[in-house]
Amino acid sequence: MSFVPTHHTNPSFNEALGGVGAQLQEMAELCMNALDEACKSIDSGDREQARAIYAADGRINRLEESVTGSVASILARHNPVAHDLHALMGSLKMSQELERLADHAKNIGRRNARLAERDTEVAFKDMVKDLGRRTRKMFATYLEGIENNDLEKASKAWSMDKGVNSVYTVINTVFIAKNFERIGDKIKNLAEIAHYQKTGEVIDFEEHEDD
Amino acid sequence: MSGGTEQAKPAAVFSCQEVNVHYGAFQAIKNVSLDVQPKEITALIGPSGCGKSTFLRCLNRMNDLIETCQVTGRIELDGADIYRRGFDVVDLRYRVGMVFQKPNPFPKSIWDNVAYGPRIHGVRDRAALDETVERSLRSAGLWDEVKDKLDEQGTRLSGGQQQRLCIARAIAVNPEVILMDEPCSALDPIATARIEELMYELRRAYTIVIVTHSMQQAARTSARTAYFHLGELIEHGLTRDIFDSPKHKQTEAYISGRIG
């Protein structure tokens, strides 16, 4: 299976679908790397490590824009319906989720680098590392499910989220602040989408300095 | 669907049960049962030779004109079996008008084309005929373009205008149903869009059944879609369901443009 689980007999349509799938595949691989680097940065607090995640994040952002463009072009040119349409609309949403996932990985790297700059370490280190491992396993399960055309496995990642959430509760207070920040981020995204709807042009309003 | 929803449905205009059509030894329609709901557009789609046009022509007994054609089963219009002995076929064709693939205005004036049906129906009064001509041409979205040249030959209009003239001619006799057999296949995209706009308006007053090769046209215009394949009705349902989540693989393959 691929990230665009459909196959068409029209070669040009099929090639376009394959193109979207390949872009999502690359996004997923980059996300997994970013997540790995984020986990490592908990121990190292290395600035270089944070930079590597940054570079991948830039590429992931471009890929998300590219997926949006490709899907819009397929909608305009091939009039997909039924299963093809579901596969494409899902691709669009997946690219957005992956892009956000990479943003969070980037921010983990950046925070660890900041703490290292002050010669300090993340608090509750073991718990945070465990959280990292669980999250990584969740993502690996999802990717394995997609690769092996195993919808059940891919869905299993969803139930694993509960395990991560139980650790989450410990650091609730910190995340209340983070949730407010995320809301702000979503509002920025909504503004970008409004721009896209009006002009067809994908833009990225200035990157937030803080995650 | 729940029983309650079924009961809420208005009575079908056409109720077709186990319809079979043979051309000599060849069976063109196989055991098709289908209801046509009032005041909405039903699209019949399917690959060439699937029987959709044959089925459409059963609805006003146009197939009677083909000697080898034999229709069995039951087709009711407002509850009356239109194939029963003694059924008035001329009256049937007033009630169920038809627009064809190629615009076919009579080689007469625009006015005569539209007044033709009512005159045959016995309307003699010029004022009444004028009124019918204007009302029909307005309904067909053609009045403003032709009101100053009603004496001109209908055949001198553009293809799209000719097709709208044919629609005006069909509605001049106040039919209940308009059958359309690929009405846009000979038209350019602009003329096609005008016919589709017109269909959208006409559906308020008439029941429309359209045969189309354009899946997008079916998706854009109709409330219900019936998919035919090799003479069988494979799937019939709300157009939004057919184009979003068809129940049959064959339907999905066809509407999504897959071969085979």
Side-chain angles (χ1 to χ4, degrees):
Chain A
M1 171 157 126
S2 82
F3 287 89
V4 189
T6 188
H7 181 271
H8 205 281
T9 51
N10 176 307
S12 107
F13 190 179
N14 203 47
E15 206 169 288
L17 291 169
V20 174
Q23 289 175 91
L24 284 170
Q25 178 77 40
E26 188 184 346
M27 282 184 90
E29 283 164 11
L30 288 167
C31 281
M32 183 49 106
N33 287 342
L35 190 51
D36 277 339
E37 295 298 319
C39 288
K40 282 184 209 156
S41 74
I42 299 166
D43 271 330
S44 66
D46 188 345
R47 258 195 109 66
E48 286 309 308
Q49 208 140 27
R51 281 213 185 88
I53 311 178
Y54 263 118
D57 185 62
R59 172 70 184 148
I60 289 167
N61 290 347
R62 302 290 90 74
L63 280 165
E64 192 218 347
E65 288 165 15
S66 176
V67 167
T68 304
S70 302
V71 170
S73 161
I74 292 172
L75 291 176
R77 297 176 64 199
H78 295 285
N79 297 313
V81 294
H83 186 214
D84 298 331
L85 185 60
H86 303 163
L88 273 171
M89 297 311 283
S91 307
L92 202 56
K93 288 185 165 191
M94 272 187 188
S95 75
Q96 288 159 358
E97 294 300 328
L98 289 170
E99 191 274 331
R100 288 302 293 145
L101 188 156
D103 278 350
H104 292 306
K106 175 183 74 177
N107 295 334
I108 292 168
R110 181 159 55 193
R111 284 192 186 283
N112 279 311
R114 274 190 200 158
L115 290 172
E117 268 171 25
R118 298 180 187 190
D119 288 324
T120 172
E121 279 193 331
V122 67
F124 313 111
K125 193 170 177 180
D126 287 343
M127 189 200 68
V128 173
K129 281 172 77 173
D130 180 52
L131 189 56
R133 274 194 296 272
R134 283 162 179 263
T135 309
R136 194 195 173 285
K137 197 175 168 202
M138 258 176 83
F139 194 45
T141 304
Y142 163 76
L143 291 181
E144 217 182 299
I146 295 288
E147 269 161 33
N148 299 330
N149 199 11
D150 184 349
L151 194 59
E152 212 173 306
K153 181 142 205 170
S155 308
K156 212 175 144 198
W158 170 75
S159 59
M160 291 165 76
D161 191 33
K162 291 188 181 77
V164 176
N165 282 339
S166 66
V167 190
Y168 229 73
T169 51
V170 183
I171 40 174
N172 240 346
T173 313
V174 177
F175 279 89
I176 287 172
K178 187 159 183 65
N179 287 339
F180 277 121
E181 192 282 325
R182 281 193 192 172
I183 290 168
D185 213 44
K186 291 295 169 197
I187 296 166
K188 179 179 85 92
N189 292 347
L190 290 168
E192 286 174 1
I193 294 166
H195 179 89
Y196 168 74
Q197 287 176 318
K198 196 87 178 160
T199 65
E201 175 198 357
V202 180
I203 58 156
D204 190 3
F205 290 141
E206 56 176 306
E207 293 280 347
H208 283 206
E209 190 48 40
D210 276 319
D211 50 329
Chain B
M1 200 179 273
S2 75
T5 315
E6 284 290 345
Q7 280 162 14
K9 246 197 228 172
V13 173
F14 274 111
S15 176
C16 310
Q17 292 131 38
E18 294 171 12
V19 175
N20 288 280
V21 180
H22 287 83
Y23 292 118
F26 174 71
Q27 187 167 5
I29 294 287
K30 297 170 187 164
N31 214 28
V32 169
S33 296
L34 172 73
D35 281 358
V36 175
Q37 301 301 322
K39 307 268 169 75
E40 63 177 35
I41 300 172
T42 297
L44 311 183
I45 62 169
S48 293
C50 70
K52 57 191 187 297
S53 287
T54 295
F55 186 78
L56 187 80
R57 287 198 301 267
C58 288
L59 300 179
N60 68 346
R61 290 184 54 174
M62 287 296 274
N63 290 324
D64 288 11
L65 307 172
I66 302 168
E67 229 172 83
T68 57
C69 182
Q70 199 196 359
V71 180
T72 61
R74 197 174 170 88
I75 300 180
E76 292 177 356
L77 173 60
D78 297 328
D81 180 359
I82 64 170
Y83 279 88
R84 75 153 193 264
R85 195 187 295 270
F87 194 88
D88 185 345
V89 179
V90 174
D91 182 62
L92 172 69
R93 294 191 189 134
Y94 276 115
R95 292 167 65 191
V96 184
M98 192 152 190
V99 176
F100 297 86
Q101 185 171 359
K102 198 164 169 279
N104 57 351
F106 302 132
K108 292 169 174 286
S109 75
I110 293 167
W111 191 93
D112 282 329
N113 262 278
V114 184
Y116 187 84
R119 276 171 137 174
I120 288 201
H121 223 41
V123 182
R124 292 278 172 271
D125 178 54
R126 174 76 195 199
L129 286 169
D130 277 342
E131 194 275 323
T132 299
V133 168
E134 179 173 342
R135 176 183 52 79
S136 305
L137 286 168
R138 279 190 190 280
S139 297
L142 192 58
W143 175 252
D144 288 340
E145 290 159 63
V146 300
K147 64 183 177 200
D148 299 323
K149 49 178 181 181
L150 293 172
D151 293 336
E152 269 187 29
Q153 289 281 300
T155 47
R156 290 185 60 183
L157 296 170
S158 74
Q161 287 173 324
Q162 286 188 28
Q163 196 61 303
R164 278 181 280 142
L165 178 60
C166 292
I167 292 171
R169 186 177 64 191
I171 60 185
V173 292
N174 275 324
E176 282 174 59
V177 183
I178 306 172
L179 308 178
M180 297 183 165
D181 193 355
E182 295 183 47
C184 301
S185 62
L187 305 182
D188 72 19
I190 305 291
T192 296
R194 298 228 34 193
I195 299 286
E196 287 184 11
E197 279 171 31
L198 179 56
M199 285 165 58
Y200 198 74
E201 283 304 313
L202 293 176
R203 86 191 195 296
R204 297 180 205 282
Y206 307 95
T207 301
I208 298 176
V209 185
I210 178 174
V211 161
T212 176
H213 267 134
S214 161
M215 263 106 46
Q216 289 313 311
Q217 181 164 64
R220 281 191 300 263
T221 60
S222 70
R224 283 170 216 271
T225 296
Y227 172 63
F228 285 76
H229 186 71
L230 297 174
E232 289 180 58
L233 175 63
I234 304 294
E235 191 165 350
H236 174 225
L238 292 173
T239 298
R240 65 164 180 265
D241 293 339
I242 297 271
F243 280 86
D244 186 77
S245 310
K247 290 190 182 71
H248 293 263
K249 275 201 166 6
Q250 279 169 298
T251 314
E252 169 140 10
Y254 183 72
I255 59 160
S256 63
R258 285 171 167 77
I259 303 161

